Every structure is written in C-alpha cells, then in structure tokens.
Amino acid sequence: MASKSRGKQRGEDIQQEDVFQAVVIADSFNVRFAPITNEKPKSLLPLANIPILDYTLEFLVTAGVQEIFVFCCHLADQIRTHIRQSKWSECSSCTITPVLSESCMSMGDALREIHDKSVIRSDFVLVFGDTVANLRLQDVLQEHKKRLQDKTNPQNKNSVMTMIFQKVPPGHRSRNKEDDIFLAVDQTSNRVLHYQRVREQSKLQIPVDVLADNLDVQLRYDLLDSQISVCSPEVLALFKDNFDYLNRDHFVKGLLDNEDIMEKTIHMCVLNDGYTGRVSNLQMYDTVSRDVICRWSYPLVPDTQTDNQGQIISHNRHNIYTSKDVMLAKGCVLEQNVLVGRGTRIGSNTRITDSVIGKDCKIGSDVVIENAYIWDGVTIEDQCCVDTAVICDNVVVYACTSVGPGCVLSYNVKVGPSVKIEARSRLQAAKDMDDDFGDELTEADQDAVSMINYGSKSQAFLHQPPEDSDDEDNDLVQDMFGLGIQSESSTEASSLSERSSDDEAMLDDEELFYSELLDTFVKAKEDNYNTENLILEINSLKHTYNIAIRDLYGMVMKGLIEIPLRDSQDLEPGAQLANVKKNFVRYKPLILNYIKSEESQLDCLHALEDFALSNKTVSTLLVKLLHILYDADILSEVVLIKWHNMEKEEEYKAIAKQVAPLIKWLEEAEEETSDEELGSD
Amino acid sequence: KKDAGSASGGKPEAAGANIKKEASSKDLSAASAVKKEPKRVPDHLKADDAETQKRIAKRLEKQRLPQRTVAQRKVRLFNHLHQYEREVSLTGSFSFSSGGIHPVIIKLGLQYAEGVICGSNARCLAMLAAFKQVIQDYTTPPQKELSRDLEATIKPYISFLNQCRLMSVSMGNAVKHLKHHITHMPNNLKDHEAKKKLLETIDSYIKERILLSAVAISKYVQDEAKIKDGDVILVYSCSSIVRKVLCDAWNQGKKFKVIVVDARPKMEGKEMLRRLVRAGIPCSYFMINAASYAMQEATKVMLGAHALLANGCVMSRVGTSQIALIAKACNVPVLVCCETYKFCERGQTDSFVYNELGDPDDLVFIGNKTPYLNDWRDYNSLTLLNLVYDVTPPEFISLVITELGLIPCTSVPVVLRMKQAETNET
C-alpha cells in the first residue's frame, strides 16, 4: 500500500517536474527611469551594452527553466519584437512567450492576468525583468518541492512561496536602500515569520506573537532580497482572490498577517554563492553595471555574451573590455572597469574610467569620462567632462561642455557648447506634453524650464518629475545616483551620518515637545491662564509626545527660565535675574505641582546642568538661579548637596566648581542649624 | 584573478632545493649520530634525537611546565624540527596552587598558540608588555639577589612561551637584551629602583628599537623617494612595517596603487588589504598562484621580514621567496623593510634546516569549497607539510630598508658587529 502510494507520488513528481516555468515581470510600474523609459521599456535599457532583459532570460535559461512567460505592459510591442529577434527564439530547450497587457497598473494585476490565462501548471519562478543573477535555482526548487511533500509538518506542506535571499552586510553597495528589509525567520524550518521594509526607519516593530509563538526565531538585517521567488501555482489564485494585493510585499504581508485564516506559509532560503542584483533605480543601475564589469555576475559578463550581431569583446587587465574595431587614438587612457562597444572612436588624450560606452560613439580628444554610462551613437566633442551620468542613444554633447554628477540625458538631446550642466538634472529632447494625469504645467513653470540655457546648439528641456507620486514607495527613497560616489570612506561617513540622524529622530519628540511647551508658556502669559489649566495643558502635551515624566520636570524648569531670559535678552544680567525670579514667583504653584519629591528635584537639577552647558547666560546665572530656587523652597538643601556630591562627567566639572561656594554655604548653614539645635538641647 | 598563474616557475628550483636539503639533513643526522661536534647543532634542531628529547623533557619537568604531545605524522625530512599536535588545553596540567607561571605569561602563551597574536613585531611587543607586568609584580625573596633570582624566574616563562609557539628572532633578541640588563643590574640597588630601571629599559627598547625604527624606515622611504607617483607596489601577506610605510607615503600625497598578494592557509593579506583600503589606497588582491600575472604591472615589490640572517638571507612568511623569485624574473626591484632588532647572527642557506612547522590541519580548510583532505590521517602514505617561514636568497633582494639607512642585505654582519660593539661599550 505504502509503496504504491509512493510510486504514485513519484509519478506525480515526474509529471510536475516535467516543465520548469518562470514568470518574468518586465515592467517596474514606476517612473524611476523617466524620461528614458518614456520611449523604451526599462527592461530593454542596455546594461553594459546588453538589454537588461537578456540577463534575466539568460539567467533563467541557464538555471534550467523550460518555459518563460514574459509579462509586458508599458511599450509591450518593443519587448515582444525584442524577444522574437533574440537568440532564444530558436532555442530548443526553452520557450519564451510574451504576455501583453497594456492595462495593468501593478504586479498584482499582472499575476491576475496570468492566472486568467491558466498557463501555469506547476511550481514556478517569479522574477522581475530587471534582474541580473547567476544563482542555482534548481536547488531552491528542489527544496521547495521537498517541503511540499513533507506530510509531518503542515506548515511545510502549506508553503506557497520560497523567497531567495543573499547574505549582504549592511552598508554594502549592492544593498538597495529601497529594498532594505528586516526579517524574522524560524531558524529550524526557515519559515518567514515577519517581513518588513526598513525604509531608513530607526525603530522597527515586531509583533509580539512572532516571538511568543516560535521557539527559535532569528532576526536578520543582513540579507539582500533578490526579489526572486519560487512559487506554487496557488500564489496566482491568492492574488486573484485578494484583488487589493498590488505587489509582492502586499502578498507577503497579507499572508503573514492572516496566517491563521489562510493557512499558507512562506519560506526563505539564503544562497551563499552567486550574485543577484536588481536594476530598480539609477543607483542600482550604476551598482549592477559595475558588478557586471567587475565579473561578480560571472558567467553573465560582457565578454561571454554575444548579441545577435555577433559582437566579440575581449577582456583585458583592469577589466577593460573592448571590441575589435574600436579606434583608440594615441594618448587616450582607459584606466579601469571600462567597456567600449563596437565601432566607437575615442580621441587622443582622453581619459576614461569606470564607464560603459556603447556602439558607434564618437568621443573627441581631451575628454574626461568618469563613472558614466554612455549608450549607442553618442557624440561627445573635444574637452568635455562627464562625471557620473547616464547618456542615452544619439545624444550630442558639444565641445567644452561639462555634465555634472547625476545627470540623465535622454534620447537625442543636444547640449552645449561651453556650458556646465547642473548636477542631477534630467534632460529630454522634447518638451513635456500634457501627461495622462492631466496636470498641465503652469506657464510660470514652463518659463522657468525654458529659461535654463543649455548652450547655443542645444536641444534640451528639463524633465519635471510628476508631482503626485503614485504611491508611497516613490518619494520615500529618492535614488542617490550621482550623490554617493562609492568609496569606502564615503560610505562609512554616510553610515555615520545616518546614525546621527537616527539619534536626531529619537530626540525629535523631545524637541518638539519642548518648543510646544515654550509656546504654551508664552500663551499662558498673554492670556493669563490660571495655573490649573496650565498644568492640564502641559500634562496633555506630555501624553501626546510621549515624554517620560522625569524629562518633563527638567523641561518645565528649563522653559520657565528660558522664557524670561528670552524676553529680556538685551538687559543687564541683574535685570534678567529679576525677571526670572518674577517668573518663578508667578509659577511657583506650577513648579511645586511637578517638583515635589527628592528625585524630581534631582532631575530638575540635572536638566539645569545640561541647560547651563548649552546656554552661556544660564551658566553665568546658574548659582543665583539655584539660590532663588532654594529660597523659594523649591529645591531643598539636602538635594542640592547630594547633587553636588554625585559623580560627575568631565564636562560638568566646571559647573560643580562654580556652585561650590553655594554648596559650602549651605553645608555651613546646615551645620549651624544643627549646632543650634544641639545648643538648644 | 581567474588566471591560473604559472606557478611552475618556482618548481624546478624547489626540486633542486629538495635534493640539497636531503643531503644537508643527512649530514645533520650523521653529525648527530656520530656526535663529533655535538655543540654545533642546537637542541631545538634535534627533535629526532632521543637523548636530547629526554634532556629537554627533564628540564621541563624541573620547571614544572607541561609537555606537549609530539605530532605523530611528520614529514620525514623535517624530523629534526619540533612539531606538536593541536591540543584542547595547553594549561590543563596547571594547578592553582603551583603558582609557577605568572598569569600574564600563560595568557600570552595561549594567545601565541591560538594565533591571536601573530606577526614578528606584534609578538615581540606583547611579550615585552607581559614581562613588564612580571617585573612589576616581582619582589626579590630575602637573601637573594635580584639579578640572579629574576633571571631564574624568567627562564621557565621563556621556555613555556617557546613551547606554545617557537620564539621569533625578534623575541629572542629582545629576551637577550632584557637578560643582559638583568644580569648586569648592580647589586647595591634597592628592589624598587632596580625594577624601575628594568622597566625603563624595556620601554626604551620598545620605543627605540621597534616604534621609532618604523618611523625611521618610513622616513627613509620618503626621503629616498622609493615610492613615487604612479608606482604599483606589490606586497605579500601582512606586515605592519610595510603597511606603515605605504600609509605614510599615501598621506604624504603620493599617488600609487598597491597589489596585495595573499596565500593560504593564514590569508593574512586580507587584513593587510582591509587596512590599506581603509587608508584610502587603491588596491587589488591576488592569490599567490596568480602572482606572475600581477607582477607584470608591478613597479616595485615591498616585503616585510621575520628576520634577516647573517648570510644576507631574508626569513619571512612562506611564499615570500617565491614572490621575490618572480620579481627577479620580471626585473622588478624587491625592497625589504626590516628593523635591525630582527637581525640575527645565524646563517641559513635554505628553509629546511631551521623552520617552524605549522599545524597541518590548517591546510585542510579551503574556504567555501568542501574540503577534500578531511581524512588525510587515514592514509598512511600521506603527510601534510605546513612550513611557516621560508628563506629568500640575497640575490633576489635589491635593498633592505632599515632604521640605519638603505643597505644591501649582505651588510647584516656589519650591523650586527656594530651593535655588538655598542652593547659592550655600555
């Protein structure tokens, strides 16, 4: 009986393994590459002179995929023609079918469409059409299948998706800021428990039950999401059922949140060797191009791939790739990581480093090109300077023009001569038409756009990104192309600055609260609030900003000192002090309401200390302030002495010295009183 | 990087050396068997001699030091060198009550044995720091003289350190220096005065011989313009002095590139690469089997040294001589940076007479790939040899940069003699 069922199962296995299918989403449903993508779909943009889609298809075919469905919507015809003309059209081991749909607005729509066509019969690989990878998918597929066969563990059996990750430490250049993820995984079964995009947040929240319900949870922030996943056919059905799933994130989140109801699970696997990168924005375009040039993506490197015209490229020392018919004039230097396409001429004394240059380009003499991506048929005249830019097909850069970092020159743009193009400008050859969104550019805008001078022979217009970004994804992380010139030190520096900005975010609440508090005091003075109302207001503020009670004491005190000081900035110190004193008297009930216990007095003293450090006036007045507070019975001598005797850090020492006479006086006074008491006894 | 470099260049040479070695070791064993001149061969080269071993064992027992288990599988040609099995605990036999060895020394010994502290300079500095601690904690017992008793105290410490890992030449020289000062300590000095004087001696040794030497070497490189704009400097493995020289030159505004060549099993070049990259120097990284490919674009080779021998040979991390050979073949000048405290009176023509044998199991691990040597102990005919150092002949070396200036490596005896005179004077 058992053997029979096993046999049967094996039969099924064979049937299932018959076809290894893949779905390629050849559209990113965003406008990161605008205006380039207005004319050419993103997946056909050249990466190291080969369309990105070819990398993806090559990867899938090498990985043993037999049937590929390429889903295209934006400019779908171009993709279809490209596939027809590509070398895979006669490929026997693999059939590639373009699926066209102009109406899709998201990846969810695309998968629903594919579900309707019911072409997917077994487990399939889901990738984006902008992936460069050389992973061994077969192993992942086997793992996924094995999991489904596992009868003992229902969680394994209900797995619908295996996500593929790679271990990449934070700060690595191939980590895309937009795709930074944080993951909670069950260590033994590799089941994904929690999946979250980090998006430069400093705080992450994990649902309690993730930690409570599982024994062996691993929290990981060292993974790069390859966005490649092995899926069961049910994934399509799930997308169909939940029409609000727009992308894979929604899907994963939906499944994880409703795990109990849907009874579906998601697993992950971490591949240690191999390369994966997604060209999701210009920054990543830069990174992935470099990786390809530096041969991390071997065998997907320029010299192993030939396009249908039989371009042969040779690989030389320092990763210099040149075609045979490239003409290099005397004195021109290709430093490192340079790819030069067929039929390109480069003039004398030109220096090129870390760049890709396409076919049939003409580059003049004394040109400096660094870190630039120059596509086909581009003309760059003498003495130009191009730094960190993308220059599309048939662009002309006239003599003595400098193209600043982060620039994008779209098709057929002409700039120059003798101008400097500002950093991060995106130029196109035609003016922005009224786009589909219907928000016409105002005339003032138009004027402003045409005002900028791109040289006498120029034909260029600034591209204005649509104001209303489609969804929250877009505006969160603007691509950093041209900003981060990746050297070790600068990444370190940026990570440092990030860290400090995190701290700022933490402080933010307190700062906001404090400024609000000051406003409240000012208003209270103007409108003559009574103390009770003021206390009420402060308390409610405290709750809104989630301020610890201990911080509150200090801040109230600080506020009460700062307001009168601010009002009497130009006055003599004596007058300022009088002002402060008046304020204390006025708000004494308020102070007493907060500062009652010894602890609160100590907190208040610490706050004053910090305040004195940051504010010069306060530090000069500190002793007198303390005296006033002591006289007003707000601070007791015991606390003052205790505070003074506490261990201090270096910076506070000066303050301690300053207040020493006061403390001494206090101590003496205390002794006297105790003496007197003794005497009276 | 994928080019399988033609490593064959070194092979015939090595084979030739092999024959020579066999001959020399035969001579050696013959010498020890006949015992014509027993004093000519020091004890640490007679691991194959039962009687010497017995004597060493006895001495260790007297000093209440643990004995290490001698490796069972040794390459026959290297029987005369000490090799030990990797042990779970070196200090297992120590009891708390015995109180024989200062804890600082035990810690240091373990760090040596585990390879936490490695590199000639680092080991020497760590040892001197440990001895400073020992001297600070030392009190002369009543009715004894500091100069005698302290030396006797330190002796077992040194043999313990030697048991953990063979002492480097730099350490040997430092110990010699220290002992000299201990024995020459005047008897009329009070305990704390003598201790203070010794501590000062150690401090000045560290400062003058090690730290300032490095500064001086770096300055010589600067002054003599040994690193110029546009240079491509090939370095091998990790050397603190080479790193310092390169970083200083970079900070002076020289624009050059560095090629770091590395080799298994220690992969110390990675650390070198990390430090150079952190300093902002453009680097590339090769494995030693591609060294001949990398050499084609190098303009200079800069090497560190474990020791400079009296006959002008450079003893350094294994692989160095191959690099020097390739450099010679490509007509690339080889510069060796070495402080003079690493100079040694010994002369050695090959790397076999005297060397350190590393743990053969270090060779089993081969990175991400599945190791295929895991069960090498099951094959009786298979032995793994893990030499730690090799000796580069003087004809491959263009120049030695020391704190005394730029000298040819044949000048080692001169430097040694001058030093000798110096110590005798003081």
Side-chain angles (χ1 to χ4, degrees):
Chain A
M1 176 77 179
S3 67
K4 225 183 212 171
S5 70
R6 201 181 297 150
K8 199 176 163 194
Q9 217 168 34
R10 198 171 295 153
E12 278 172 10
D13 275 2
I14 291 162
Q15 213 173 17
Q16 273 188 352
E17 279 169 20
D18 263 346
V19 199
F20 184 8
Q21 293 175 306
V23 172
V24 178
I25 309 287
D27 204 308
S28 53
F29 307 105
N30 62 36
V31 289
R32 299 283 156 76
F33 279 82
I36 309 173
T37 41
N38 292 350
E39 290 173 43
K40 212 174 192 184
K42 189 178 106 184
S43 45
L44 292 188
L45 302 184
L47 181 105
N49 289 349
I50 293 162
I52 303 173
L53 185 64
D54 284 6
Y55 287 93
T56 314
L57 295 178
E58 179 83 47
F59 154 58
L60 291 173
V61 172
T62 335
V65 177
Q66 289 150 307
E67 201 171 355
I68 302 174
F69 297 96
V70 180
F71 193 91
C72 12
C73 42
H74 178 61
L75 302 171
D77 278 339
Q78 286 188 28
I79 300 179
R80 187 170 57 185
T81 343
H82 175 80
I83 291 172
R84 277 209 192 125
Q85 289 169 353
S86 71
K87 59 176 173 178
W88 291 286
S89 53
E90 305 105 49
C91 179
S92 55
S93 66
C94 179
T95 54
I96 300 177
T97 324
V99 181
L100 274 64
S101 165
E102 297 270 352
S103 62
C104 280
M105 294 301 289
S106 71
M107 175 185 160
D109 291 342
L111 290 180
R112 280 184 274 279
E113 191 106 342
I114 286 170
H115 181 251
D116 289 344
K117 290 200 160 47
S118 61
V119 284
I120 298 296
R121 299 182 295 278
S122 70
D123 298 332
F124 66 99
V125 182
L126 180 63
V127 293
F128 282 93
D130 51 10
T131 308
V132 178
N134 59 1
L135 307 171
R136 292 168 58 88
L137 282 181
Q138 210 74 29
D139 301 350
V140 185
L141 185 75
Q142 292 309 327
E143 201 182 309
H144 182 76
K145 286 203 164 138
K146 213 168 95 195
R147 208 171 276 140
L148 296 183
Q149 305 295 328
D150 188 357
K151 289 256 163 65
T152 53
N153 189 345
Q155 281 175 341
N156 277 352
K157 208 171 154 258
N158 288 330
S159 178
V160 290
M161 188 188 259
T162 303
M163 300 160 90
I164 300 176
F165 294 92
Q166 276 208 304
K167 196 172 165 184
V168 175
H172 193 272
R173 70 166 180 198
S174 68
R175 266 175 92 112
N176 182 357
K177 283 239 172 80
E178 288 174 47
D179 291 336
D180 232 7
I181 51 149
F182 172 74
L183 206 64
V185 196
D186 186 304
Q187 206 173 354
T188 43
S189 66
N190 275 343
R191 188 159 67 91
V192 177
L193 305 170
H194 181 68
Y195 176 94
Q196 189 180 0
R197 299 219 161 204
V198 177
R199 299 197 189 289
E200 300 185 331
Q201 295 163 28
S202 54
K203 281 183 193 167
L204 296 168
Q205 290 186 330
I206 315 166
V208 177
D209 28 328
V210 166
L211 297 172
D213 298 352
N214 300 284
L215 282 176
D216 208 353
V217 183
Q218 219 180 9
L219 303 177
R220 303 194 68 160
Y221 182 59
D222 61 341
L223 295 176
L224 172 78
D225 190 353
S226 69
Q227 309 260 10
I228 303 170
S229 34
V230 176
C231 307
S232 303
E234 291 133 81
V235 170
L236 296 178
L238 285 167
F239 263 99
K240 182 79 185 167
D241 295 346
N242 301 279
F243 50 81
D244 53 333
Y245 291 171
L246 294 181
N247 53 34
R248 203 181 70 156
D249 279 7
H250 293 164
F251 172 79
V252 172
K253 194 169 182 312
L255 236 61
L256 292 178
D257 287 352
N258 307 318
E259 207 162 54
D260 312 337
I261 310 161
M262 294 210 198
E263 291 188 328
K264 299 288 176 209
T265 56
I266 296 175
H267 287 76
M268 58 93 85
C269 89
V270 179
L271 294 181
N272 286 324
D273 36 322
Y275 173 82
T276 165
R278 248 200 87 195
V279 186
S280 46
N281 53 28
L282 276 175
Q283 172 78 41
M284 287 308 288
Y285 178 80
D286 182 36
T287 308
V288 176
S289 300
R290 270 162 191 261
D291 290 342
V292 169
I293 298 277
C294 294
R295 307 179 80 79
W296 291 105
S297 59
Y298 190 86
L300 302 177
V301 288
D303 51 326
T304 56
Q305 286 178 305
T306 49
D307 62 5
N308 38 15
Q309 287 137 354
Q311 186 184 9
I312 298 163
I313 289 179
S314 61
H315 172 221
N316 304 314
R317 196 179 273 267
H318 298 305
N319 293 330
I320 310 258
Y321 302 84
T322 45
S323 297
K324 270 190 179 159
D325 48 358
V326 167
M327 287 176 64
L328 302 176
K330 195 177 174 188
C332 103
V333 186
L334 307 182
E335 278 186 4
Q336 56 170 4
N337 304 336
V338 178
L339 166 60
V340 185
R342 194 159 40 82
T344 292
R345 298 151 159 264
I346 298 176
S348 56
N349 296 328
T350 290
R351 198 172 66 84
I352 303 177
T353 179
D354 299 297
S355 299
V356 175
I357 294 169
K359 291 170 223 147
D360 303 316
C361 294
K362 284 191 193 68
I363 293 171
S365 41
D366 301 314
V367 177
V368 179
I369 299 176
E370 276 176 18
N371 203 13
Y373 299 93
I374 295 170
W375 297 357
D376 300 345
V378 174
T379 307
I380 296 181
E381 292 192 346
D382 297 356
Q383 290 165 9
C384 287
C385 173
V386 181
D387 177 17
T388 319
V390 175
I391 297 182
C392 301
D393 294 351
N394 304 324
V395 169
V396 181
V397 180
Y398 290 110
C400 305
T401 304
S402 106
V403 180
C407 281
V408 176
L409 308 186
S410 188
Y411 303 94
N412 305 321
V413 164
K414 292 185 175 72
V415 288
S418 308
V419 284
K420 189 174 186 306
I421 296 172
E422 228 172 283
R424 297 172 66 70
S425 38
R426 294 187 172 195
L427 305 184
Q428 53 190 355
K431 271 190 191 173
D432 270 327
M433 295 296 136
D434 311 349
D435 43 17
D436 305 336
F437 304 108
D439 43 22
E440 237 174 286
L441 294 171
T442 59
E443 270 184 26
D445 275 347
Q446 294 267 10
D447 285 346
V449 169
S450 51
M451 280 295 282
I452 307 170
N453 180 20
Y454 293 115
S456 52
K457 294 195 246 175
S458 73
Q459 187 196 343
F461 300 93
L462 195 64
H463 170 74
Q464 302 250 323
E467 299 269 312
D468 51 338
S469 306
D470 319 24
D471 49 344
E472 74 271 28
D473 293 359
N474 277 359
D475 41 16
L476 263 168
V477 190
Q478 278 301 322
D479 57 85
M480 305 284 288
F481 182 60
L483 281 186
I485 292 157
Q486 291 104 346
S487 68
E488 193 82 355
S489 55
S490 78
T491 42
E492 242 166 65
S494 71
S495 68
L496 276 178
S497 66
E498 269 164 37
R499 212 170 301 141
S500 60
S501 72
D502 287 354
D503 288 346
E504 274 162 29
M506 301 274 273
L507 282 174
D508 240 19
D509 266 1
E510 288 184 12
E511 269 168 23
L512 273 176
F513 170 75
Y514 183 61
S515 66
E516 196 94 358
L517 187 74
L518 287 183
D519 290 346
T520 316
F521 280 135
V522 173
K523 211 160 70 190
K525 199 174 166 196
E526 281 167 5
D527 301 359
N528 250 335
Y529 280 6
N530 66 13
T531 317
E532 268 170 48
N533 284 350
L534 191 57
I535 291 172
L536 199 66
E537 194 144 323
I538 292 173
N539 279 348
S540 61
L541 269 181
K542 168 186 157 259
H543 288 298
T544 355
Y545 288 101
N546 203 7
I547 296 294
I549 188 83
R550 301 186 62 167
D551 294 337
L552 180 71
Y553 301 141
M555 280 197 249
V556 167
M557 187 52 77
K558 212 169 126 184
L560 283 178
I561 296 171
E562 190 168 350
I563 295 266
L565 281 184
R566 212 162 56 177
D567 292 346
S568 57
Q569 239 164 19
D570 312 324
L571 299 180
E572 294 280 300
Q576 284 182 335
L577 200 68
N579 240 339
V580 175
K581 194 167 178 180
K582 220 160 69 194
N583 213 37
F584 276 145
V585 175
R586 189 187 146 100
Y587 288 112
K588 196 176 165 191
L590 174 93
I591 300 172
L592 284 181
N593 177 60
Y594 286 114
I595 298 167
K596 291 180 227 164
S597 65
E598 238 176 62
E599 266 172 42
S600 58
Q601 290 183 19
L602 261 182
D603 285 334
C604 153
L605 276 171
H606 287 308
L608 280 180
E609 220 170 31
D610 287 332
F611 191 32
L613 273 184
S614 60
N615 190 324
K616 223 176 163 192
T617 343
V618 178
S619 76
T620 51
L621 294 178
L622 184 68
V623 181
K624 293 196 174 119
L625 284 173
L626 290 180
H627 202 170
I628 296 170
L629 287 170
Y630 170 71
D631 279 349
D633 284 338
I634 295 167
L635 298 178
S636 73
E637 61 204 29
V638 187
V639 176
L640 274 170
I641 292 168
K642 193 170 159 193
W643 165 69
H644 187 251
N645 292 340
M646 273 158 103
E647 286 272 316
K648 296 269 165 67
E649 281 168 38
E650 205 46 54
E651 44 194 6
Y652 296 116
K653 290 250 166 81
I655 296 175
K657 210 180 260 175
Q658 209 182 347
V659 294
L662 176 74
I663 301 295
K664 204 174 163 200
W665 175 75
L666 281 174
E667 277 170 344
E668 275 167 12
E670 198 179 19
E671 271 166 29
E672 265 171 39
T673 46
S674 52
D675 281 354
E676 271 168 32
E677 273 163 27
L678 278 175
S680 68
D681 285 349
Chain B
K1 274 168 226 169
K2 271 152 196 153
D3 283 53
S6 58
S8 59
K11 265 182 191 164
E13 181 77 9
N18 252 347
I19 298 161
K20 215 161 70 189
K21 252 95 281 162
E22 218 151 353
S24 74
S25 88
K26 252 178 211 162
D27 289 349
L28 244 169
S29 54
S32 60
V34 182
K35 285 188 189 160
K36 270 182 185 167
E37 287 173 299
K39 278 183 185 169
R40 293 294 294 277
V41 182
D43 281 355
H44 61 261
L45 295 184
K46 291 210 283 188
D48 51 346
D49 185 43
E51 207 165 302
T52 327
Q53 282 310 99
K54 220 188 258 169
R55 203 165 64 233
I56 291 173
K58 213 179 259 173
R59 199 171 68 213
L60 285 177
E61 211 169 315
K62 218 168 94 193
Q63 292 174 339
R64 282 192 285 177
L65 290 176
Q67 293 231 21
R68 296 194 63 176
T69 31
V70 173
Q72 295 306 306
R73 297 284 291 280
K74 282 167 77 171
V75 181
R76 209 170 300 146
L77 202 57
F78 296 89
N79 271 337
H80 63 288
L81 297 175
H82 287 275
Q83 187 181 3
Y84 304 111
E85 294 285 339
R86 181 169 286 175
E87 276 156 313
V88 190
S89 167
L90 271 170
T91 52
S93 61
F94 284 145
S95 60
F96 282 107
S97 57
S98 71
I101 289 187
H102 196 285
V104 174
I105 300 292
I106 296 179
K107 184 179 161 195
L108 183 69
L110 292 179
Q111 283 171 330
Y112 284 164
E114 294 292 321
V116 178
I117 298 179
C118 65
S120 187
N121 273 345
R123 272 163 75 195
C124 187
L125 285 171
M127 185 192 67
L128 289 175
F131 276 135
K132 264 174 79 178
Q133 184 69 44
V134 168
I135 290 171
Q136 240 155 25
D137 296 349
Y138 171 81
T139 42
T140 321
Q143 277 107 42
K144 278 190 180 170
E145 278 175 21
L146 177 128
S147 54
R148 300 269 173 79
D149 187 60
L150 186 56
E151 201 200 349
T153 321
I154 282 180
K155 219 172 210 172
Y157 295 178
I158 292 165
S159 44
F160 172 72
L161 292 180
N162 215 5
Q163 286 280 299
C164 291
R165 190 179 158 191
L166 223 54
M167 284 229 277
S168 68
V169 171
S170 57
M171 286 161 71
N173 283 344
V175 166
K176 216 182 281 168
H177 182 82
L178 181 64
K179 273 187 176 170
H180 174 93
H181 278 269
I182 291 176
T183 46
H184 286 75
M185 188 58 64
N187 289 334
N188 52 6
L189 277 185
K190 282 198 182 122
D191 223 21
H192 69 270
E193 282 167 348
K195 274 161 65 178
K196 200 177 155 207
K197 211 169 161 195
L198 281 177
L199 291 179
E200 275 167 9
T201 314
I202 295 180
D203 276 335
S204 69
Y205 190 87
I206 291 177
K207 203 173 161 198
E208 285 163 20
R209 294 295 175 82
I210 306 177
L211 302 179
L212 287 180
S213 295
V215 176
I217 290 172
S218 163
K219 197 163 170 296
Y220 273 118
V221 172
Q222 233 65 256
D223 294 348
E224 304 286 329
K226 288 295 159 197
I227 296 179
K228 298 194 195 77
D229 282 348
D231 263 345
V232 179
I233 292 166
L234 188 140
V235 301
Y236 175 68
S237 195
C238 189
S239 155
S240 56
I241 180 84
V242 171
R243 184 189 66 80
K244 185 177 166 50
V245 165
L246 292 176
C247 288
D248 284 353
W250 183 258
N251 292 335
Q252 295 273 326
K254 292 272 181 300
K255 295 287 164 222
F256 57 94
K257 283 187 201 165
V258 176
I259 300 172
V260 180
V261 179
D262 201 3
R264 287 199 315 118
K266 289 202 168 176
M267 302 292 242
E268 287 160 314
K270 280 186 184 172
E271 183 57 32
M272 186 78 166
L273 182 72
R274 197 171 293 131
R275 290 180 180 194
L276 292 177
V277 166
R278 200 173 292 155
I281 303 173
C283 294
S284 41
Y285 179 80
F286 283 81
M287 290 314 284
I288 194 166
N289 48 8
S292 59
Y293 176 74
M295 195 63 77
Q296 286 163 28
E297 59 176 316
T299 56
K300 262 157 213 157
V301 174
M302 207 170 253
L303 300 171
H306 171 79
L308 230 66
L309 307 176
N311 60 349
C313 289
V314 174
M315 192 174 188
S316 193
R317 178 71 70 231
V318 66
T320 306
S321 74
Q322 196 190 344
I323 297 287
L325 177 73
I326 297 170
K328 178 83 179 169
C330 296
N331 273 333
V332 178
V334 179
L335 314 180
V336 172
C337 300
C338 184
E339 301 91 335
T340 52
Y341 86 104
K342 289 180 185 169
F343 284 22
C344 166
E345 305 88 344
R346 216 166 55 214
Q348 204 175 315
T349 47
D350 58 50
S351 353
F352 298 77
V353 178
Y354 174 70
N355 207 328
E356 186 181 335
L357 297 180
D359 190 341
D361 286 316
D362 287 344
L363 299 175
V364 172
F365 178 72
I366 45 168
N368 290 336
K369 288 173 225 146
T370 40
Y372 41 79
L373 277 175
N374 265 338
D375 50 353
W376 67 277
R377 277 167 202 273
D378 300 344
Y379 300 94
N380 278 327
S381 53
L382 182 65
T383 44
L384 300 185
L385 174 65
N386 183 10
L387 284 178
V388 176
Y389 302 111
D390 66 10
V391 169
T392 311
E395 49 272 25
F396 294 163
I397 289 158
S398 325
L399 191 68
V400 179
I401 306 171
T402 69
E403 73 266 27
L404 301 177
L406 315 181
I407 56 172
C409 48
T410 41
S411 304
V412 175
V414 182
V415 174
L416 285 171
R417 202 171 57 230
M418 281 176 53
K419 270 194 174 172
Q420 192 78 41
E422 222 171 89
T423 39
N424 287 345
E425 269 172 35
T426 50

